[in-house]
CSV table of all heavy atoms in Angstrom, one decimal:
chain,number,residue,atom,x,y,z
D,53,VAL,N,6.6,30.6,215.7
D,53,VAL,CA,7.6,29.5,215.9
D,53,VAL,C,7.0,28.2,215.3
D,53,VAL,O,5.9,27.8,215.7
D,53,VAL,CB,8.0,29.2,217.3
D,53,VAL,CG1,8.9,28.0,217.5
D,53,VAL,CG2,8.6,30.5,217.9
D,54,LEU,N,7.7,27.6,214.3
D,54,LEU,CA,7.2,26.4,213.7
D,54,LEU,C,7.7,25.2,214.6
D,54,LEU,O,8.8,25.1,215.0
D,54,LEU,CB,7.8,26.2,212.3
D,54,LEU,CG,7.6,24.9,211.6
D,54,LEU,CD1,6.2,24.6,211.3
D,54,LEU,CD2,8.5,24.8,210.4
D,55,GLN,N,6.7,24.3,215.0
D,55,GLN,CA,7.1,23.1,215.7
D,55,GLN,C,7.0,21.9,214.7
D,55,GLN,O,6.0,21.7,214.1
D,55,GLN,CB,6.1,22.8,216.9
D,55,GLN,CG,6.5,21.5,217.6
D,55,GLN,CD,5.5,21.1,218.7
D,55,GLN,OE1,5.8,20.3,219.5
D,55,GLN,NE2,4.3,21.7,218.7
D,56,ILE,N,8.0,21.1,214.7
D,56,ILE,CA,8.0,19.9,213.9
D,56,ILE,C,8.2,18.7,214.9
D,56,ILE,O,9.2,18.6,215.6
D,56,ILE,CB,9.1,19.9,212.9
D,56,ILE,CG1,9.0,21.1,211.9
D,56,ILE,CG2,9.1,18.5,212.1
D,56,ILE,CD1,10.2,21.2,211.0
D,57,LYS,N,7.1,17.9,215.0
D,57,LYS,CA,7.2,16.7,215.9
D,57,LYS,C,7.7,15.5,215.1
D,57,LYS,O,7.0,15.1,214.2
D,57,LYS,CB,5.8,16.5,216.5
D,57,LYS,CG,5.4,17.5,217.6
D,57,LYS,CD,4.1,17.3,218.1
D,57,LYS,CE,4.1,16.2,219.2
D,57,LYS,NZ,2.8,16.1,219.9
D,58,VAL,N,8.8,15.0,215.5
D,58,VAL,CA,9.5,13.9,214.8
D,58,VAL,C,9.4,12.7,215.6
D,58,VAL,O,10.0,12.6,216.7
D,58,VAL,CB,10.9,14.3,214.4
D,58,VAL,CG1,11.6,13.2,213.7
D,58,VAL,CG2,11.0,15.6,213.6
D,59,GLU,N,8.8,11.6,215.1
D,59,GLU,CA,8.9,10.3,215.7
D,59,GLU,C,10.3,9.8,215.7
D,59,GLU,O,10.9,9.7,214.6
D,59,GLU,CB,8.0,9.3,215.1
D,59,GLU,CG,7.9,8.0,215.9
D,59,GLU,CD,6.8,7.1,215.4
D,59,GLU,OE1,5.7,7.3,215.7
D,59,GLU,OE2,7.2,6.1,214.7
D,60,ASP,N,10.9,9.5,216.8
D,60,ASP,CA,12.3,9.1,216.9
D,60,ASP,C,12.4,7.6,217.3
D,60,ASP,O,11.5,7.0,217.7
D,60,ASP,CB,13.0,10.0,217.9
D,60,ASP,CG,14.5,9.9,217.8
D,60,ASP,OD1,15.1,9.8,216.7
D,60,ASP,OD2,15.2,9.8,218.9
D,61,GLY,N,13.6,7.1,217.1
D,61,GLY,CA,13.8,5.7,217.5
D,61,GLY,C,15.1,5.2,216.8
D,61,GLY,O,15.8,5.9,216.0
D,62,SER,N,15.4,4.0,217.0
D,62,SER,CA,16.6,3.4,216.5
D,62,SER,C,16.6,3.5,215.0
D,62,SER,O,15.6,3.2,214.3
D,62,SER,CB,16.7,1.9,216.9
D,62,SER,OG,17.8,1.3,216.4
D,63,GLY,N,17.7,3.9,214.4
D,63,GLY,CA,17.9,4.0,213.0
D,63,GLY,C,17.2,5.2,212.3
D,63,GLY,O,17.3,5.4,211.1
D,64,ARG,N,16.6,6.1,213.1
D,64,ARG,CA,16.0,7.3,212.6
D,64,ARG,C,17.1,8.4,212.4
D,64,ARG,O,17.7,8.8,213.4
D,64,ARG,CB,14.9,7.9,213.5
D,64,ARG,CG,13.8,6.9,213.7
D,64,ARG,CD,12.9,6.8,212.5
D,64,ARG,NE,11.9,5.7,212.6
D,64,ARG,CZ,10.7,5.9,213.0
D,64,ARG,NH1,10.2,7.0,213.3
D,64,ARG,NH2,9.9,4.8,213.0
D,65,ARG,N,17.4,8.7,211.2
D,65,ARG,CA,18.6,9.5,210.9
D,65,ARG,C,18.6,10.9,211.5
D,65,ARG,O,19.6,11.4,212.0
D,65,ARG,CB,18.8,9.6,209.4
D,65,ARG,CG,19.2,8.3,208.8
D,65,ARG,CD,19.5,8.5,207.3
D,65,ARG,NE,20.0,7.2,206.8
D,65,ARG,CZ,20.4,7.1,205.6
D,65,ARG,NH1,20.3,8.1,204.8
D,65,ARG,NH2,20.9,5.9,205.2
D,66,LEU,N,17.4,11.6,211.5
D,66,LEU,CA,17.4,13.0,212.0
D,66,LEU,C,17.7,13.0,213.4
D,66,LEU,O,18.5,13.8,213.9
D,66,LEU,CB,16.0,13.6,211.7
D,66,LEU,CG,16.0,15.1,212.0
D,66,LEU,CD1,17.0,15.9,211.2
D,66,LEU,CD2,14.6,15.7,211.7
D,67,GLY,N,17.1,12.2,214.2
D,67,GLY,CA,17.4,12.1,215.7
D,67,GLY,C,18.8,11.8,215.9
D,67,GLY,O,19.4,12.4,216.8
D,68,ARG,N,19.4,10.9,215.2
D,68,ARG,CA,20.8,10.5,215.4
D,68,ARG,C,21.7,11.7,215.0
D,68,ARG,O,22.7,11.9,215.7
D,68,ARG,CB,21.2,9.3,214.5
D,68,ARG,CG,20.4,8.0,214.7
D,68,ARG,CD,20.4,7.4,216.1
D,68,ARG,NE,19.8,8.2,217.2
D,68,ARG,CZ,18.5,8.3,217.4
D,68,ARG,NH1,17.6,7.7,216.7
D,68,ARG,NH2,18.0,9.0,218.4
D,69,SER,N,21.3,12.5,214.0
D,69,SER,CA,22.2,13.6,213.6
D,69,SER,C,22.2,14.7,214.7
D,69,SER,O,23.1,15.5,214.7
D,69,SER,CB,21.7,14.2,212.2
D,69,SER,OG,20.5,14.9,212.4
D,70,PHE,N,21.2,14.7,215.5
D,70,PHE,CA,21.1,15.7,216.6
D,70,PHE,C,21.5,15.0,218.0
D,70,PHE,O,21.4,15.6,219.0
D,70,PHE,CB,19.7,16.3,216.8
D,70,PHE,CG,19.5,17.4,215.8
D,70,PHE,CD1,18.8,17.2,214.6
D,70,PHE,CD2,19.9,18.7,216.0
D,70,PHE,CE1,18.5,18.2,213.7
D,70,PHE,CE2,19.7,19.7,215.1
D,70,PHE,CZ,19.0,19.5,213.9
D,71,ALA,N,22.0,13.8,217.9
D,71,ALA,CA,22.4,13.0,219.1
D,71,ALA,C,21.4,12.9,220.2
D,71,ALA,O,21.6,13.1,221.3
D,71,ALA,CB,23.7,13.6,219.6
D,72,VAL,N,20.1,12.7,219.7
D,72,VAL,CA,19.0,12.6,220.7
D,72,VAL,C,19.1,11.2,221.4
D,72,VAL,O,19.3,10.2,220.8
D,72,VAL,CB,17.6,12.6,219.9
D,72,VAL,CG1,16.5,12.3,220.9
D,72,VAL,CG2,17.5,14.0,219.3
D,73,LYS,N,19.1,11.3,222.7
D,73,LYS,CA,19.2,10.1,223.6
D,73,LYS,C,18.0,9.8,224.4
D,73,LYS,O,17.7,8.7,224.7
D,73,LYS,CB,20.4,10.2,224.5
D,73,LYS,CG,21.7,10.5,223.8
D,73,LYS,CD,22.2,9.2,223.2
D,73,LYS,CE,23.6,9.5,222.7
D,73,LYS,NZ,24.0,8.6,221.6
D,74,LEU,N,17.3,10.9,224.8
D,74,LEU,CA,16.1,10.7,225.7
D,74,LEU,C,14.9,11.5,225.0
D,74,LEU,O,15.1,12.5,224.3
D,74,LEU,CB,16.3,11.3,227.1
D,74,LEU,CG,17.4,10.6,227.9
D,74,LEU,CD1,17.7,11.4,229.2
D,74,LEU,CD2,17.0,9.2,228.3
D,75,TRP,N,13.7,11.0,225.3
D,75,TRP,CA,12.5,11.7,224.8
D,75,TRP,C,11.7,12.3,225.9
D,75,TRP,O,11.7,11.8,227.0
D,75,TRP,CB,11.6,10.7,224.1
D,75,TRP,CG,12.3,9.9,223.0
D,75,TRP,CD1,13.2,10.4,222.1
D,75,TRP,CD2,12.0,8.6,222.6
D,75,TRP,NE1,13.5,9.4,221.2
D,75,TRP,CE2,12.8,8.3,221.5
D,75,TRP,CE3,11.2,7.6,223.2
D,75,TRP,CZ2,12.8,7.0,220.9
D,75,TRP,CZ3,11.2,6.3,222.6
D,75,TRP,CH2,12.0,6.1,221.5
D,76,PRO,N,11.0,13.4,225.7
D,76,PRO,CA,11.2,14.2,224.5
D,76,PRO,C,12.4,15.0,224.6
D,76,PRO,O,12.8,15.4,225.7
D,76,PRO,CB,9.9,15.1,224.5
D,76,PRO,CG,9.6,15.2,225.9
D,76,PRO,CD,10.0,13.9,226.6
D,77,THR,N,13.0,15.3,223.4
D,77,THR,CA,14.1,16.3,223.3
D,77,THR,C,13.6,17.4,222.4
D,77,THR,O,13.2,17.1,221.3
D,77,THR,CB,15.3,15.6,222.8
D,77,THR,OG1,15.9,14.7,223.7
D,77,THR,CG2,16.4,16.7,222.5
Side-chain angles (χ1 to χ4, degrees):
V53 176
L54 172 64
Q55 177 186 196
I56 302 173
K57 288 178 78 172
V58 179
E59 185 171 285
D60 192 40
S62 180
R64 302 285 171 97
R65 290 184 175 183
L66 188 59
R68 302 302 63 80
S69 76
F70 281 97
V72 172
K73 303 286 186 203
L74 297 171
W75 302 323
T77 293

